[in-house]
Amino acid sequence: MKIKVIESVLKDNDAVAQTNRSTMNAAGLLSLNITSAPGSGKTMLLEKTITALGPDAPCAVLVGDLQTSRDAQRLAGCGAATVQINTGRGCHLSAAQISAGLGSVDLSQIAYLFIENVGNMVCPAGFDLGEHKRIAMLSVPEGDDKVAKYPTLFQPADLIILNKIDLAELLEFDVEQVRADLARINTRAPLLLLSVRTGEGMEKWFEWLDACRTDTTGRKD
Ligand code: MG
Ligand code: ZN
């Protein structure tokens, strides 16, 4: 009986996600759901991205955390329209929470809508939020075995980011192990090696973002 309950939660979630997707399509923006463990660098990636995109490509962020508005404060400081979603004990964002967040942003002004999911490598993967693209992020200090250990995070991703690549040598991180695991789990998504902090490899991220926006919205600017 328990399985039935879980199925109906996911079914309800999927219906709201479809509505979110329609809302975001109508607004002509590109939305991205960023998933990772805590501490991989999601917020810093968004800080650098929003700052680099500047006023020509206005950004909004819906950011999920159990407690505090620390991430939202950091992101609002970069000029993004920011909504902090506190999930209390909830360990992932749901489509209904995104729907509520979308209601408090003027979407007609937004080029990129980023969703920073709750730091968690397990259940955020199971919840469609209505995003156009899903990003899975891993960082070097987490270890080169994590793709194999948490395949469900990486399977649905459209892009995989390996952050803190500047620490790879120091921490004896085996990038080839990650490539080999991804070859079994997800061959569709590009793998970007970068360091948000040093800026190494960030140009590939911006190229990917720009290409997705053109694909999704038909816009070229
Ligand atoms: Mg964060
Ligand atoms: Zn959860």
Side-chain angles (χ1 to χ4, degrees), residues 8-198:
S8 90
V9 166
L10 286 175
K11 228 169 148 188
D12 291 350
N13 183 80
D14 284 354
V16 181
Q18 279 306 332
T19 308
N20 290 347
R21 197 170 281 113
S22 304
T23 303
M24 294 191 281
N25 283 340
L29 54 79
L30 175 69
S31 62
L32 305 109
N33 176 10
I34 307 178
T35 60
S36 82
S40 300
K42 296 183 294 302
T43 310
M44 193 189 282
L45 174 71
L46 291 178
E47 285 178 308
K48 299 269 172 111
T49 302
I50 292 159
T51 304
L53 290 171
D56 291 343
C59 298
V61 188
L62 309 181
V63 53
D65 280 299
L66 273 66
Q67 304 277 339
T68 82
S69 56
R70 288 182 185 180
D71 283 3
Q73 283 165 12
R74 286 169 62 186
L75 295 162
C78 303
T82 308
V83 179
Q84 179 82 53
I85 301 167
N86 279 145
T87 56
R89 292 173 183 220
C91 47
H92 59 269
L93 287 172
S94 68
Q97 288 165 326
I98 296 308
S99 173
L102 291 175
S104 51
V105 177
D106 181 1
L107 298 179
S108 68
Q109 304 300 316
I110 299 302
Y112 294 95
L113 183 114
F114 295 101
I115 300 166
E116 184 185 330
N117 219 309
V118 178
N120 176 343
M121 293 186 93
V122 184
C123 51
F127 287 79
D128 182 10
L129 304 179
E131 73 274 9
H132 294 115
K133 300 285 179 188
R134 180 86 63 97
I135 298 167
M137 195 170 186
L138 175 70
S139 71
V140 164
E142 294 163 47
D144 51 28
D145 56 350
K146 293 302 177 294
V147 172
K149 284 188 174 174
Y150 297 90
T152 53
L153 187 84
F154 298 94
Q155 261 153 4
D158 300 296
L159 177 74
I160 294 158
I161 293 177
L162 176 54
N163 187 26
K164 310 188 191 180
I165 198 66
D166 52 311
L167 301 176
E169 212 178 298
L170 181 70
L171 299 178
E172 297 179 356
F173 184 98
D174 184 1
V175 175
E176 292 317 308
Q177 182 64 61
V178 169
R179 288 191 203 282
D181 291 338
L182 285 175
R184 288 183 295 105
I185 289 162
N186 182 343
T187 52
R188 185 175 53 89
L191 169 67
L192 300 187
L193 311 184
L194 55 79
S195 169
V196 174
R197 191 177 58 82
T198 68

